[in-house]
Amino acid sequence: MADVNKYFKKGTEVEISSNDEGFRGAWYMGTVIRPASRTSKDNKFLVEYKTLMADEVGKKRLRETLDVVQLRPPPPREPRRSFKFSEEVDAYFNDGWWEGVITEVHEGDRYSVFFRGTREQLEVGSSELRLHREWENGKWVPTLEGEEKVSIEDEMKPTKEKAEDKFHKGMLVEVNSDEDGFQGAWFAATIIEQLTDGKFLVEYQCLRNDDDTEFLKEETDILHMRPYPPDIPVVDSFNLHEEVDALYNDGWWVGVISKVLNGRRYKVYFRGTNEEMEYKHSDLRLHQDCIDGKWVMASQV
């Protein structure tokens, strides 16, 4: 694993992911007060938030000791830009940046953004949005240069049509549900039929209907669907703090390796539920993110 202090030295500005209730799913600006000790194995950092306060009067900034997996550098600044339907963005809300999807483009540089984690939708201005990026192997994806490589023909095509054209009947996909108990997981399914208004009928590969007579079928949309992840080489082992998908209750849940055990077993920590569970090697896969239709490997410091 790379030297984490290379990215997070004392005084360095960072973005912080908190596990506290009400703050999960957002990134907050902060500063490294004390880096991790080179002689310690836990990679704990003392950080100070810029926008979260420790007292009610708002005079003392909140400080926390956090694991390295909860830190990342601030994303690169970008010129003022407009956004398109189905584009993944971060929206500034309640003093932090929350990941969401553009669901509607309004006049006056305003947009409706849907947040899968909270199942909420808000209308925000372009000044409160930024393109969603992932911190991958010491680099941000996509890069600023990569955004400019869009053909004129692609820009002229209706964005909603482009998003829907990615999916077709018989295609293997993964579906994310908003129902209680299924939030945060992706389930394999096959598209049975393309309906109107951007809807699709899918049949799950593992989930059954209530009377267990057949595989579950339901309607979904492109905001809750993505192509099935591509095959990647099977790794011999996973590393500490590596992002993975864990197979649980017939779905894949994103987590972080929190401890490497004997016998090719691991403990996996899930930020969304603040839970830790033990898994065998065969029930894990390297985490990938689908950004603008392209699959990228997960961040690993």
Side-chain angles (χ1 to χ4, degrees), residues 15 25-27 90-93 95-99 127-130:
E15 286 196 339
W27 290 90
D90 296 332
Y92 193 77
F93 176 69
D95 300 318
W97 291 98
W98 300 73
E99 181 183 351
S127 61
E128 300 164 306
L129 294 175
R130 68 185 186 190

Side-chain angles (χ1 to χ4, degrees), residues 15-151:
E15 286 196 339
I16 305 162
S17 174
S18 176
N19 293 322
D20 293 340
E21 193 70 35
F23 296 92
R24 297 172 191 160
W27 290 90
Y28 297 87
M29 286 301 300
T31 305
V32 175
I33 303 300
R34 186 181 64 245
S37 171
R38 295 182 183 276
T39 59
S40 176
K41 295 182 179 180
D42 58 9
N43 286 328
K44 296 290 186 180
F45 289 75
L46 176 63
V47 298
E48 181 180 86
Y49 291 88
K50 287 191 173 184
T51 56
L52 300 184
M53 299 298 167
D55 57 349
E56 294 183 0
V57 295
K59 292 185 177 180
K60 185 178 180 181
R61 290 176 175 173
L62 177 64
R63 289 189 175 188
E64 286 187 322
T65 300
L66 302 174
D67 196 282
V68 65
V69 297
Q70 295 174 255
L71 304 179
R72 68 183 188 184
R77 294 183 180 181
E78 60 188 56
R80 189 79 175 266
R81 55 164 289 174
S82 59
F83 298 91
K84 299 174 290 186
F85 175 83
S86 81
E87 199 164 21
E88 293 195 43
V89 295
D90 296 332
Y92 193 77
F93 176 69
N94 278 354
D95 300 318
W97 291 98
W98 300 73
E99 181 183 351
V101 180
I102 300 291
T103 55
E104 192 171 353
V105 179
H106 303 287
E107 294 182 355
D109 272 345
R110 297 193 64 82
Y111 304 86
S112 292
V113 180
F114 175 73
F115 304 95
R116 292 192 183 100
T118 60
R119 292 183 291 175
E120 293 179 301
Q121 182 165 289
L122 295 174
E123 183 178 324
V124 297
S126 60
S127 61
E128 300 164 306
L129 294 175
R130 68 185 186 190
L131 185 69
H132 177 67
R133 289 182 169 89
E134 293 288 335
W135 177 244
E136 177 197 352
N137 296 325
K139 297 180 180 179
W140 285 102
V141 178
T143 63
L144 283 172
E145 294 77 15
E147 293 173 36
E148 299 171 358
K149 298 177 181 178
V150 180
S151 68

Side-chain angles (χ1 to χ4, degrees), residues 85 157-167 194 222:
F85 175 83
K157 289 181 65 179
T159 54
K160 189 170 183 178
E161 286 185 12
K162 287 199 295 180
E164 293 179 4
D165 287 346
K166 296 177 183 176
F167 303 99
Q194 182 170 352
I222 59 175

